[in-house]
Amino acid sequence: MNAYERVRTARLASRPTGLVYINNIFSSFIEFHGDRRAKDDGAIVAGIAELKGMPVTVIAIEKGRTAAERTMRNFGSASPEGYRKALRLMKEAEKFNRPVITFVDTAGAFCGIEAEERGEGEAIARNLMEMMDLDVPILSVLIGEGGSGGALGLAVADRVWMLENAVYSVISPEGCASILFKDSKKASQAAECLKLTADDALSLGLIEKIVKEDELGTEEFFHHLGNDIYNEICMIKKDMDFKENRYKRFRAF
């Protein structure tokens, strides 16, 4: 597949969403709500769970499947309250020494005027700063679209993985084509320029692993991914300097 075909595959409604990953990989999941300031944002699901007996904090961007769900989840475009909820859960994870695992799938943060009025940029920037210094292991998995700061706000991690057909980009191909070529129909050309595929990200050193999609959505797929996540978290825990190495990882870009 070319880059734009990967983009269209990442956007398929039939792909497992964040909640599907949570329900199939973790046990005893308890969802927490609200940012303790304004409201609860349905685009971000967050809570505590167990992974093979290990207490963890899990945060996922959820797009929804049906029209009603997608409307309620704002199509996976989170507001400031969503990022503040995520940070609240991450700071709680640090307090109780729980690793943080995030699943990212968003075209980007919500760009409505009300989100800007309530501090969308500040909320994402604070997540970047706080996640860089969080004193527990963090693993982020891009399961579909990884759009701009909306994705990065949950992806400052010790390890970043991407599914085989996931994409990670500063802007959508359509938006890039509109700006650079003055023609959104040139999205396919823009997608090639953006280097947004998992293969591109791995070759550039932006991610550590590509997760194959041969069995995507099956019990075996979630079983293997859960094992890999558990083993990787255990490896990060053994690194006495993981927080310093996380800082160096991003500075190296």
Side-chain angles (χ1 to χ4, degrees):
M1 287 192 287
N2 63 34
Y4 196 54
E5 287 171 337
R6 299 275 187 189
V7 173
R8 288 185 290 190
T9 301
R11 292 171 175 171
L12 288 174
S14 58
R15 291 177 69 85
T17 64
L19 266 174
V20 175
Y21 282 83
I22 290 175
N23 292 332
N24 282 276
I25 293 176
F26 304 92
S27 59
S28 307
F29 176 66
I30 301 173
E31 185 178 355
F32 290 5
H33 297 274
D35 67 340
R36 300 297 184 264
R37 295 188 186 186
K39 66 173 186 176
D40 185 48
D41 182 4
I44 290 185
V45 176
I48 57 175
E50 288 188 355
L51 176 61
K52 297 185 179 298
M54 177 194 296
V56 296
T57 290
V58 188
I59 303 167
I61 299 179
E62 172 63 25
K63 284 185 173 180
R65 302 295 285 271
T66 67
E69 287 176 354
R70 291 201 159 206
T71 300
M72 190 269 284
R73 303 288 184 185
N74 200 31
F75 297 85
S77 291
S79 297
E81 292 78 16
Y83 292 101
R84 289 174 182 139
K85 174 172 64 174
L87 180 58
R88 179 172 73 85
L89 268 289
M90 287 188 278
K91 296 301 286 185
E92 181 193 78
E94 183 178 51
K95 179 178 180 179
F96 292 101
N97 198 31
R98 290 193 297 263
V100 174
I101 301 158
T102 70
F103 295 94
V104 177
D105 184 15
T106 181
F110 182 48
C111 57
I113 189 170
E114 59 269 37
E116 298 296 338
E117 288 173 343
R118 297 196 300 271
E120 184 86 278
E122 185 275 339
I124 293 173
R126 182 166 295 276
N127 277 26
L128 307 186
M129 179 180 72
E130 296 282 1
M131 291 182 78
M132 188 67 74
D133 197 45
L134 206 68
D135 200 18
V136 291
I138 312 171
L139 191 152
S140 296
V141 185
L142 277 74
I143 59 175
E145 289 186 275
S148 193
L152 190 58
L154 291 181
V156 175
D158 302 290
R159 305 286 190 274
V160 180
W161 296 354
M162 284 178 71
L163 264 65
E164 189 175 9
N165 291 315
V167 294
Y168 201 11
S169 175
V170 69
I171 191 173
S172 71
E174 294 84 2
C176 178
S178 296
I179 295 170
L180 293 185
F181 308 131
K182 312 302 180 186
D183 184 359
S184 62
K185 294 179 181 178
K186 293 184 178 180
S188 181
Q189 180 181 346
E192 296 292 340
C193 297
L194 286 167
K195 303 295 183 185
L196 46 65
T197 69
D199 288 332
D200 291 326
L202 185 65
S203 67
L204 290 168
L206 302 179
I207 65 171
E208 282 71 39
K209 179 176 179 175
I210 297 174
V211 179
K212 296 297 182 181
E213 296 189 15
D214 298 339
E215 300 177 316
L216 182 64
T218 66
E219 184 177 342
E220 291 78 9
F221 172 82
F222 292 117
H223 176 72
H224 292 314
L225 181 57
N227 283 339
D228 289 347
I229 291 173
Y230 176 83
N231 292 333
E232 196 67 33
I233 291 292
C234 291
M235 288 292 293
I236 299 170
K237 279 185 169 183
K238 292 178 182 178
D239 181 4
M240 298 299 292
D241 299 317
F242 70 84
K243 196 167 73 168
E244 177 66 20
N245 289 334
R246 182 192 308 149
Y247 175 79
K248 290 178 179 177
R249 178 188 186 279
F250 283 89
R251 289 294 296 174
F253 295 166

